[in-house]
Amino acid sequence: MIAPTGILLPESLLYTDWFGVLATFVAINTVIYVVLGVIKMTPKIRWGRRTGANRRSQTRSIHPDAAP
């Protein structure tokens, strides 16, 4: 019994210009997706002080006299 192994391309095809362009595109695309995935997994960096929407007008603590 012969198992299907897919299409085997000749070695000379690997040295053509268009295959080099395609391999470069795939490599750059992979690097971009890896960087985007790492950025998505890391927590947000918050710069500066807490102002505006991040600040509560009233404390929600069980100790009402505590600083918010």
Side-chain angles (χ1 to χ4, degrees):
M1 180 175 173
I2 299 174
T5 58
I7 299 172
L8 185 60
L9 300 174
E11 184 180 346
S12 62
L13 185 69
L14 300 177
Y15 298 108
T16 58
D17 289 338
W18 68 269
F19 193 83
V21 171
L22 179 65
T24 303
F25 173 77
V26 170
I28 292 172
N29 196 20
T30 302
V31 169
I32 289 172
Y33 274 96
V34 166
V35 169
L36 289 175
V38 168
I39 289 172
K40 190 81 171 180
M41 288 189 309
T42 56
K44 266 188 185 174
I45 299 173
R46 298 184 187 270
W47 302 100
R49 298 177 359 181
R50 294 176 24 179
T51 59
N54 294 335
R55 182 182 294 175
R56 292 188 173 132
S57 62
Q58 296 178 352
T59 180
R60 297 177 66 189
S61 173
I62 59 172
H63 305 290
D65 296 334

